């Protein structure tokens, strides 16, 4: 640290001669200034900043205090895994809107790993518990169409109510919140003979495919439902 | 066989394509058509109706045994479903019977 002098006089003294208080205007503390930059604040004593230079890294989620040089490439230049394709559709992280199709059953279980094909295909089996006497969504999947396509779906099912004689239900298929089809009445051990299917021309973008089961069981019993789902999209 | 049914739900978008509210999708009113399946043919938001292609079930539960449906049974299924259509009943009556609310369409011009 040193004391600034001009023509052998302290700056403070020169300032007083001029009727000014020029040096003490600064209010930075050493912790506010990047190390090793120097500055004056509050006195004519030259001070050196102590703020450390830090950086975020892909290896952890630490966000240390200090000076960040930044990266004009954005956060995804630091960690390439920060990409839309890695983020669930409907979720936005640091401005990146997710496009990853997540398939889940009504119990909230992520069963995306059961899909081995491209995101536009939704072939898999599902088994779920159905609420009595009403509609239960057993599948909701968002597929992202790069171009106008025909979206197709076909769903088979089987009912097994725990302690009710009424093992009946229907499958209902929706695209973008519009019902496309309904199966005939599905009954116990009738797997494969009843299905709901539809296809619809859709424009590009996110399309929500959904399958509901309507249970006729009014005995306030829960049913278990098994379904095979085949679906996908074919470009127009 | 094609027939026309009233619809319920909430319209979320009309353009560039029709989309329903995921919490209240555009769907057929809550009427039991019986042992038939159907597919959407066209949607008419202006008249709050959908045209559907109806097919009878290929099987029936006959005293606990699943067997193929006969031609007569298939005809009965279709006729029974048709009785609940707009071709046979007034729209207001079908909404009242189903207890389904009318379609909510914020884009519809008064």
């Amino acid at each position: 640290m040193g004391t600034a002098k001009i023509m052998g006089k302290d700056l403070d003294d020169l300032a007083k001669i001029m009727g000014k208080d020029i040096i003490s205007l600064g209010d930075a503390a050493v912790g506010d200034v990047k190390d090793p930059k120097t500055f004056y604040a509050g006195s004519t004593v030259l001070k050196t900043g102590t703020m450390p230079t830090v950086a975020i890294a892909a290896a952890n989620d630490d966000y240390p205090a200090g000076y960040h040089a930044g990266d004009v490439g954005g956060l995804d230049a630091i960690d390439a895994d920060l990409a839309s394709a890695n983020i669930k559709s409907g979720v936005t992280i640091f401005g990146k809107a997710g496009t990853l199709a997540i398939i889940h059953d009504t119990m909230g279980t992520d069963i995306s790993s059961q899909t081995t094909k491209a995101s536009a295909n939704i072939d898999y089996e599902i088994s779920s518990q159905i609420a009595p006497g009403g509609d239960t969504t057993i599948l909701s999947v968002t597929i992202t169409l790069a171009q106008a396509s025909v979206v197709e779906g076909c769903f088979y099912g089987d009912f097994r109510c725990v302690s009710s004689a009424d093992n009946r239900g229907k499958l209902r298929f929706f695209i973008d919140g519009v019902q496309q089809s309904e199966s005939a009445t599905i009954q116990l051990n009738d797997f494969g003979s009843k299905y709901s299917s539809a296809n619809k021309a859709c424009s590009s973008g996110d399309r929500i495919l959904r399958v509901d089961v309507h249970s006729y069981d009014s005995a306030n019993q829960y049913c278990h439902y098994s379904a095979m789902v085949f679906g996908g999209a074919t470009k127009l | 066989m094609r027939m026309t049914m009233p619809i319920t739900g909430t319209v979320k978008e009309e353009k560039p394509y029709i989309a329903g509210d995921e919490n209240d999708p555009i769907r057929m009113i809550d009427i039991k058509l019986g042992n038939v399946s159907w597919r959407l043919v066209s949607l008419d938001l202006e008249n709050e109706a959908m045209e559907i292609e109806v097919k009878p079930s290929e099987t029936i539960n006959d005293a606990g045994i699943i067997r193929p449906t006969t031609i007569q049974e298939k005809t009965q299924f279709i006729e029974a479903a048709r009785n609940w259509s707009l071709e046979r009943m007034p729209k207001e009556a079908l909404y009242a019977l189903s207890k389904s609310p009318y379609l909510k369409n914020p884009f519809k011009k008064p």
Side-chain angles (χ1 to χ4, degrees):
Chain A
M1 302 283 180
T3 302
K5 291 181 182 297
I6 294 177
M7 298 173 63
K9 291 188 178 295
D10 287 345
L11 284 178
D12 274 351
D13 293 338
L14 286 171
K16 287 171 185 171
I17 292 169
M18 297 170 66
K20 303 284 185 183
D21 189 8
I22 59 172
I23 299 302
S24 59
L25 291 178
D27 63 355
V30 290
D32 298 331
V33 178
K34 178 186 172 187
D35 181 23
K37 298 295 183 183
T38 56
F39 67 103
Y40 294 103
S43 74
T44 55
V45 177
L46 185 64
K47 299 176 181 177
T48 302
T50 60
M51 178 186 291
T53 297
V54 295
I56 57 174
N60 55 57
D61 66 350
D62 292 348
Y63 183 38
Y67 172 77
H68 291 259
D71 189 325
V72 293
L75 290 176
D76 48 359
I78 298 167
D79 189 344
D81 286 341
L82 180 63
S84 293
N86 294 335
I87 300 171
K88 185 174 79 170
S89 178
V91 175
T92 299
I93 300 177
F94 288 118
K96 288 226 177 274
T99 58
L100 177 65
I102 296 294
I103 299 171
H104 57 83
D105 62 20
T106 52
M107 309 309 284
T109 305
D110 181 357
I111 55 172
S112 302
S113 59
Q114 293 185 22
T115 59
T116 55
K117 298 183 179 180
S119 61
N121 289 286
I122 53 171
D123 303 355
Y124 67 98
E125 293 183 27
I126 186 170
S127 181
S128 191
Q129 194 176 48
I130 308 301
D135 296 301
T136 302
T137 298
I138 62 166
L139 168 73
S140 177
V141 56
T142 299
I143 63 172
T144 301
L145 304 177
Q147 56 193 319
S149 307
V150 172
V151 174
E152 300 166 287
C154 187
F155 313 96
Y156 296 85
D158 191 19
F159 268 87
R160 292 182 187 279
C161 289
V162 179
S163 55
S164 168
D166 198 353
N167 289 289
R168 296 183 302 135
K170 285 199 169 192
L171 278 165
R172 292 169 176 170
F173 176 42
F174 301 82
I175 297 176
D176 289 330
V178 179
Q179 188 174 9
Q180 301 294 315
S181 62
E182 183 173 283
S183 72
T185 308
I186 298 168
Q187 300 163 87
L188 180 64
N189 296 328
D190 197 13
F191 196 92
S193 66
K194 305 289 176 61
Y195 59 91
S196 178
S197 68
N199 57 60
K200 179 190 178 190
C202 293
S203 53
S204 61
D206 286 351
R207 297 287 164 264
I208 302 171
L209 276 61
R210 168 174 153 183
V211 182
D212 284 5
V213 174
H214 178 80
S215 170
Y216 287 112
D217 174 24
S218 57
N220 206 28
Q221 304 291 335
Y222 275 85
C223 290
H224 288 278
Y225 184 84
S226 299
M228 291 180 70
V229 179
F230 309 90
T234 308
K235 69 179 181 180
L236 286 172
Chain B
M1 186 269 297
R2 291 190 177 185
M3 61 186 211
T4 314
M5 296 296 297
I7 54 177
T8 186
T10 301
V11 181
K12 187 178 173 185
E13 290 177 47
E14 258 193 352
K15 295 178 180 177
Y17 59 89
I18 296 171
D21 187 332
E22 283 297 315
N23 296 314
D24 185 25
I26 300 169
R27 60 198 185 277
M28 192 180 76
I29 58 167
D30 192 16
I31 280 275
K32 292 179 181 176
L33 293 183
N35 205 3
V36 296
S37 62
W38 60 261
R39 290 175 64 163
L40 176 66
V41 176
S42 63
L43 202 55
D44 182 355
L45 294 184
E46 190 65 29
N47 292 304
E48 300 163 330
M50 57 166 50
E51 186 183 20
I52 59 176
E53 177 76 37
V54 182
K55 289 184 177 178
S57 172
E58 294 296 325
T59 60
I60 187 172
N61 186 333
D62 190 352
I65 297 171
I66 306 294
R67 64 164 175 78
T69 44
T70 65
I71 293 176
Q72 290 82 0
E73 286 168 336
K74 288 181 179 178
T75 305
Q76 289 170 7
F77 292 160
I78 290 291
E79 275 304 303
R82 196 171 173 80
N83 284 335
W84 299 110
S85 70
L86 284 168
E87 284 80 5
R88 298 255 174 103
M89 288 188 73
K91 181 195 284 188
E92 293 73 20
L94 286 169
Y95 275 108
L97 281 168
S98 69
K99 297 178 181 174
S100 297
Y102 283 87
L103 181 75
K104 301 178 189 71
N105 184 0
F107 305 101
K108 188 173 182 178
K109 293 172 184 172

